[in-house]
């Protein structure tokens, strides 16, 4: 393989390494964001539980108020009971007292149920608080680890960029633009080896990128010339493996 195709293959390797480093950088940055979102979700769960607990407490308070008011009425009716002047009046007041008492028993049950619910929610919110603290510690770890890793990756990216600048020096802008265009279409894979099939001539040739058959003229030309030839099907820049 000639100087030009060698240089292009070197460039491809450098660009693929650079891509790989940049992907690792994105993953690192995402890891922090993902962990932050996880905590935000817990915080939002906690806030909604807290609102529910407050709602329960308010409801329990108002039931208690209702209960007290009804108790006062029972006390008043009791006074009326003692002062009643006829059996009929006595029976009427007694019915009212019993109705209020039945109401109160029902309200009390309701209040107990609400308070129990609020207690359960309180426990749940404590557990969420604990998880938030745990996840925050984890976030700190992820963050400091990511920072370290990002520093290393930055150095690697800078080195690769410098090597890339060096590698393109001998390549003409025209060739470079073909290389970059193909690279964009095939996510960094702009070069393809010519695969030679068959032990004896006439050989058949296949593009190692798209696996479509190639005109033998490409292989023949590349055996004697160091030039950019592209696959007629996929457009990748062709080369012959050194051992061929
Ligand atoms: Zn091809």
């Amino acid at each position: 393989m000639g100087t030009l195709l060698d240089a292009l293959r070197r460039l491809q390797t450098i660009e693929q390494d650079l891509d790989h480093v940049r992907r690792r950088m994105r993953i690192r940055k995402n890891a922090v964001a993902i962990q932050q979102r996880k905590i935000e979700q817990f915080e939002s769960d906690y806030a909604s539980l807290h609102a529910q607990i407050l709602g329960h407490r308010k409801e329990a308070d108002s039931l208690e108020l209702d209960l007290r008011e009804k108790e006062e009425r029972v006390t008043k009716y009791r006074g009326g009971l003692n002062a009643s002047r006829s059996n009929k009046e006595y029976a009427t007041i007694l019915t009212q007292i019993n109705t209020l008492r039945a109401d109160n028993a029902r309200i009390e049950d309701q209040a107990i149920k609400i308070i129990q619910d609020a207690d359960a929610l309180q426990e749940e919110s404590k557990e969420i608080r604990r998880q938030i603290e745990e996840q925050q510690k984890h976030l700190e770890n992820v963050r400091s680890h990511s920072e370290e890793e990002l520093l290393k990756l930055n150095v690697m990216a800078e080195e690769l960029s410098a090597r890339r600048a060096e590698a393109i020096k001998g390549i003409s802008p025209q060739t470079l633009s073909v290389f970059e265009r193909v690279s964009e279409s095939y996510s960094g894979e702009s070069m393809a080896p010519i695969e030679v099939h068959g032990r004896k001539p006439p050989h058949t040739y296949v593009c190692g990128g798209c696996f479509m058959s190639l005109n033998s003229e490409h292989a023949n030309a590349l055996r004697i010339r160091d030039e950019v030839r592209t696959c007629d099907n996929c457009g990748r820049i062709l080369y012959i493996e050194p051992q061929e």
Side-chain angles (χ1 to χ4, degrees):
M1 203 171 3
T3 319
L4 174 63
L5 289 176
D6 264 347
L8 288 175
R9 285 191 71 193
R10 251 198 323 276
L11 179 59
Q12 170 163 277
T13 307
I14 293 168
E15 291 203 339
Q16 282 171 346
D17 288 351
L18 202 51
D19 262 3
H20 184 63
V21 167
R22 286 185 181 136
R23 192 162 51 238
R24 282 172 64 194
M25 287 168 106
R26 278 198 300 278
I27 290 169
R28 279 286 158 202
K29 282 177 191 157
N30 277 345
V32 174
I34 287 168
Q35 184 60 19
Q36 270 167 338
R37 274 203 294 278
K38 199 167 170 184
I39 292 173
E40 277 162 23
Q41 185 56 54
F42 274 127
E43 291 283 11
S44 128
D45 289 351
Y46 182 82
S48 92
L49 267 185
H50 202 68
Q52 277 185 61
I53 293 168
L54 279 184
H56 278 55
R57 296 237 165 98
K58 258 186 204 163
E59 214 177 324
D61 283 352
S62 102
L63 285 174
E64 212 160 304
L65 215 67
D66 194 17
L67 201 63
R68 210 176 307 151
E69 189 253 346
K70 286 195 167 72
E71 296 277 15
E72 275 163 21
R73 276 165 66 196
V74 169
T75 312
K76 221 161 79 189
Y77 280 139
R78 270 195 170 155
L81 208 57
N82 295 334
S84 64
R85 280 162 304 202
S86 67
N87 281 347
K88 199 181 166 216
E89 199 187 339
Y90 186 92
T92 308
I93 296 171
L94 197 59
T95 306
Q96 280 166 328
I97 289 175
N98 286 337
T99 307
L100 280 170
R101 279 190 171 151
D103 274 358
N104 278 355
R106 189 178 45 76
I107 291 168
E108 223 175 284
D109 283 350
Q110 224 177 323
I112 288 169
K113 171 89 180 58
I114 287 167
I115 287 166
Q116 278 171 344
D117 284 354
D119 285 350
L121 290 173
Q122 185 72 43
E123 281 308 305
E124 214 179 307
S125 82
K126 265 189 210 158
E127 172 57 19
I128 291 180
R129 191 33 73 202
R130 195 190 61 74
Q131 280 178 1
I132 289 173
E133 278 160 20
E134 200 179 289
Q135 294 300 331
Q136 248 148 3
K137 273 184 211 147
H138 186 52
L139 173 65
E140 286 321 305
N141 281 342
V142 170
R143 192 176 270 146
S144 71
H145 194 67
S146 288
E147 273 167 14
E148 264 173 52
E149 197 65 19
L150 279 170
L151 282 177
K152 274 188 224 159
L153 289 168
N154 259 321
V155 171
M156 283 165 79
E158 274 168 23
E159 275 169 13
L160 284 165
S161 295
R163 278 178 55 202
R164 186 186 179 279
E166 196 58 38
I168 62 172
K169 270 183 185 164
I171 303 167
S172 74
Q174 207 186 351
T175 303
L176 200 60
S177 96
V178 173
F179 177 91
E180 297 297 359
R181 201 176 56 236
V182 185
S183 179
E184 267 169 42
S185 319
Y186 298 108
S187 50
E189 197 192 286
S190 40
M191 310 284 294
I194 294 179
E195 290 180 2
V196 185
H197 292 193
R199 279 193 201 158
K200 280 188 281 184
H203 296 299
T204 54
Y205 301 95
V206 166
C207 164
C210 66
F211 305 106
M212 297 298 277
S213 55
L214 285 170
N215 196 315
S216 61
E217 141 191 10
H218 288 302
N220 295 336
L222 287 176
R223 284 201 181 100
I224 49 172
R225 285 197 299 273
D226 178 28
E227 63 183 15
V228 170
R229 300 186 72 91
T230 54
C231 167
D232 306 308
N233 180 57
C234 68
R236 287 183 179 87
I237 298 168
L238 299 166
Y239 64 90
I240 294 180
E241 293 278 18
Q243 65 263 30
E244 292 298 335

